[in-house]
Amino acid sequence: MKSRFFGISLAAVLMVALSVQVTAQDGEYNPRKEALAEIKKMDVGPHDWPQWGGWSHKNNVPEATGIPTEFNVESGDGVLWKVPLGSQTYGNVVVANGNVYVGTNNHHGYVPRFPKSVDLGVLLCLDEKTGEFKWQHSSQKLSTGRVHDWPDQGICCSPMVDGNRLWYVTSRGEVVCLDTEGFLDGKNDGPYKSEPIESKVEADIIWRFDMMGELGVSQHNMCSCSITGHGDIIFVNTSNGVDESHVNIPAPSAPSFMAMDRNTGKVLWTDRSPGLNILHGQWSSPSYCEIDGQAQVLFGGGDGWLYSFDPAGDGKGNAKLLWKFDGNPKESLYSVSGRSERNHIIGTAVIYDGLVYIGVGEDPEHGEGNGHLYCIDPTKRGDVSPTIAVDKDGKEIEFKNDGTRRLQKIRPDDGETTKPNPNSAVVWHFTGEDTNGDGEVEFEEEMHRTCGTVAILDDILYVADFSGIFHCIDAKTGKPYWHYDMFSAAWGSPLLVDGKVYIGDEDGDIAVFKHGKEMELLAENLMDSSVYSTPVVANGVLYISTKDTLYAIGNKKND
């Protein structure tokens, strides 16, 4: 058995209607059809997967059939093609308009001017049918070193694609817009035309925005955000964080969240809400939805709060807050020792049937720890946290982003405590439950900190935590159905497709379960190395990137 760290479930029956729902024939909410409806509005193929999570609700539930349950990468059984990546790969695959995109480092050295001995952040563009290399965007390492740009980590996020344009955040803290055709079309599209070389294997930059130089952002270790957008607006988490001491926030006035014009790179509004309360880093990605006629963009903060803003901003360059939610108990204490009880948010908020789902987590470098998984009603406004803090006299404590209560929200030794928030948006809160009825909550029945994002279909939710436990939970009540111990850390998120659920782990296993309330393990497929990313499906093909190789898996067709 592996060594493990740490060990109330609250359920409520709150239902919130989505402003425009897509329903299946049986009247049940169908996120697959809603995803397809959104993707069809974009200039991509109807069964492409053009951004992290496929669409703005970030629910990884593509529509496909015939996806292999078992495959063997060693023998090649089920492998349509494979291509070498760098030595470390964390970015999730995106597929659009005949191309496959994946972030990695430069260990393979596809571009002649950057041999594999040169450390870079790399976004690769590959041919969807063959895996043939087309071009790459190269991000040279920042001179400040590991405090801002950790060695060998490469590109850890995913791009968003629409038509012949692609947007992503580089490891240098830049937001860039690229031409998906690169220089293969023989043109240098602008307005940016200062590429060092116009080779067919290099990226064609349309515009670039330096968040460090223009906004004073100071990312911690790595800048990573998988962009989403709506209309002509894209949304970005800047990754502003602590310095190498893990104590100081060098740029508290720099924005953490922002909206940009996707055509020009102009900043439309910014928000610095976490301020001096940032615990560590900020690597969560935004999601977007419209509920009860109100558009919302959701950002997970480095202070452990989930923020919802009006995507239009306040019209004066600032954000317009709709609601905010504290994902940690007020008495929990943060520590960089790895034994912290307070967490920030690494995963992405998922919107399903008018509700929001999010779990808290930590930098994997800090190991395992306790976690919390929430279902939230996004129609509330203001501070919608589960509790409010009060002093010894019962007076509510006002929280400011000035760092004075960064590590712990209340001070029990001073008589401070909490009481239920009458404005709470909690539908349910899962930390663990005695699922097997043996009278105790065992390690496998607990929710631990997570880097992952949930996937939901038929009101059944799946999420993997960093302690290697894969949970299946009722999405409307928070009651757990089953848990599975993978005995290896899970960095990524589940894929739910073709009546099956796929999840990878650090040991290099892809476990495949039957979708349902009863646990049925269908297969465990051993990959060639660790899986730090999330499996995706596009156009009937399963894509899995291991630490150093990308596999396209499917049923081979006879010519």
Side-chain angles (χ1 to χ4, degrees), residues 192-453:
Y192 186 92
K193 295 195 174 184
S194 300
E195 292 90 347
I197 184 170
E198 296 184 18
S199 164
K200 290 185 178 180
V201 296
E202 305 265 1
D204 181 4
I205 301 172
I206 305 300
W207 57 257
R208 59 184 289 273
F209 182 87
D210 181 0
M211 293 187 288
M212 296 185 75
E214 298 291 335
L215 299 175
V217 170
S218 179
Q219 67 258 21
H220 179 66
N221 292 162
M222 178 60 59
C223 196
S224 179
C225 164
S226 297
I227 289 172
T228 195
H230 182 76
D232 289 330
I233 304 177
I234 56 174
F235 306 104
V236 181
N237 183 333
T238 69
S239 300
N240 195 41
V242 299
D243 64 11
E244 62 270 26
S245 73
H246 290 79
V247 174
N248 302 313
I249 293 103
S253 297
S256 292
F257 320 125
M258 66 177 183
M260 306 179 75
D261 184 313
R262 76 176 198 171
N263 300 307
T264 65
K266 178 183 177 181
V267 175
L268 302 176
W269 56 259
T270 63
D271 183 87
R272 56 171 293 270
S273 288
L276 283 166
N277 290 337
I278 297 171
L279 298 172
H280 187 208
Q282 297 190 106
W283 304 293
S284 178
S285 297
S287 49
Y288 170 92
C289 61
E290 294 183 23
I291 295 174
D292 285 356
Q294 173 65 63
Q296 303 190 31
V297 57
L298 308 176
F299 288 97
D303 54 356
W305 291 64
L306 181 65
Y307 295 87
S308 173
F309 300 103
D310 187 322
D314 69 352
K316 301 177 182 179
N318 303 307
K320 182 180 178 181
L321 180 71
L322 298 175
W323 54 266
K324 59 182 181 178
F325 182 94
D326 188 359
N328 291 284
K330 296 288 192 289
E331 64 275 12
S332 60
L333 180 66
Y334 184 75
S335 169
V336 296
S337 69
R339 294 292 183 123
S340 174
E341 293 182 347
R342 192 167 192 83
N343 296 289
H344 45 103
I345 297 174
I346 304 291
T348 306
V350 165
I351 299 95
Y352 175 88
D353 201 7
L355 299 171
V356 172
Y357 299 81
I358 192 72
V360 299
E362 248 290 358
D363 182 341
E365 184 183 21
H366 292 180
E368 302 174 48
N370 64 296
H372 302 267
L373 182 68
Y374 295 96
C375 175
I376 301 167
D377 171 7
T379 65
K380 300 262 188 168
R381 296 293 179 262
D383 185 345
V384 299
S385 305
T387 62
I388 56 177
V390 293
D391 63 19
K392 59 182 178 59
D393 298 318
K395 182 180 178 182
E396 183 175 346
I397 299 170
E398 180 183 0
F399 297 128
K400 299 179 181 179
N401 295 320
D402 58 5
T404 56
R405 292 177 179 265
R406 170 176 170 257
L407 302 182
Q408 190 176 36
K409 291 302 181 186
I410 64 169
R411 299 162 182 154
D413 291 345
D414 294 337
E416 296 176 351
T417 186
T418 63
K419 65 180 183 180
N421 181 4
N423 193 43
S424 172
V426 174
V427 178
W428 54 258
H429 170 207
F430 178 74
T431 59
E433 187 170 307
D434 179 17
T435 310
N436 63 12
D438 67 355
E440 60 181 84
V441 179
E442 300 169 353
F443 183 86
E444 292 81 3
E445 297 170 325
E446 296 175 337
M447 182 69 201
H448 309 95
R449 59 175 55 151
T450 180
C451 303
T453 298

Side-chain angles (χ1 to χ4, degrees), residues 15-231:
M15 298 288 291
V16 182
L18 190 65
S19 55
V20 178
Q21 294 186 350
V22 180
T23 56
Q25 291 181 353
D26 60 1
E28 296 296 324
Y29 172 69
N30 192 328
R32 286 176 171 160
K33 289 192 174 182
E34 193 168 53
L36 183 60
E38 178 178 304
I39 291 171
K40 282 184 175 179
K41 294 178 181 178
M42 303 175 68
D43 187 9
V44 295
H47 295 286
D48 284 349
W49 213 234
Q51 60 181 293
W52 157 231
W55 56 310
S56 63
H57 288 199
K58 302 303 176 184
N59 194 7
N60 192 18
V61 291
E63 186 71 60
T65 57
I67 305 301
T69 301
E70 297 183 76
F71 40 88
N72 190 314
V73 299
E74 183 177 2
S75 68
D77 183 27
V79 177
L80 302 177
W81 53 256
K82 67 176 183 177
V83 296
L85 303 175
S87 61
Q88 295 189 51
T89 303
Y90 301 95
N92 295 310
V93 171
V94 158
V95 182
N97 295 333
N99 292 331
V100 175
Y101 304 92
V102 62
T104 185
N105 67 16
N106 192 50
H107 187 75
H108 186 73
Y110 277 101
V111 172
R113 71 185 177 107
F114 291 126
K116 68 178 186 178
S117 59
V118 178
D119 191 8
L120 300 172
V122 167
L123 180 71
L124 294 176
C125 175
L126 309 169
D127 183 270
E128 180 182 357
K129 291 184 179 180
T130 66
E132 179 182 0
F133 169 72
K134 287 189 171 182
W135 54 260
Q136 80 174 34
H137 183 258
S138 307
S139 297
Q140 298 185 62
K141 304 302 283 186
L142 291 168
S143 60
T144 48
R146 64 184 55 212
V147 63
H148 292 136
D149 197 355
W150 198 269
D152 292 324
Q153 293 304 288
I155 300 299
C156 299
C157 60
S158 305
M160 183 183 83
V161 180
D162 194 355
N164 62 356
R165 292 293 180 263
L166 172 156
W167 300 265
Y168 92 103
V169 175
T170 77
S171 50
R172 294 178 60 87
E174 303 164 320
V175 184
V176 295
C177 175
L178 306 180
D179 178 3
T180 61
E181 298 174 339
F183 289 114
L184 295 170
D185 61 1
K187 297 184 295 183
N188 186 348
D189 295 285
Y192 186 92
K193 295 195 174 184
S194 300
E195 292 90 347
I197 184 170
E198 296 184 18
S199 164
K200 290 185 178 180
V201 296
E202 305 265 1
D204 181 4
I205 301 172
I206 305 300
W207 57 257
R208 59 184 289 273
F209 182 87
D210 181 0
M211 293 187 288
M212 296 185 75
E214 298 291 335
L215 299 175
V217 170
S218 179
Q219 67 258 21
H220 179 66
N221 292 162
M222 178 60 59
C223 196
S224 179
C225 164
S226 297
I227 289 172
T228 195
H230 182 76

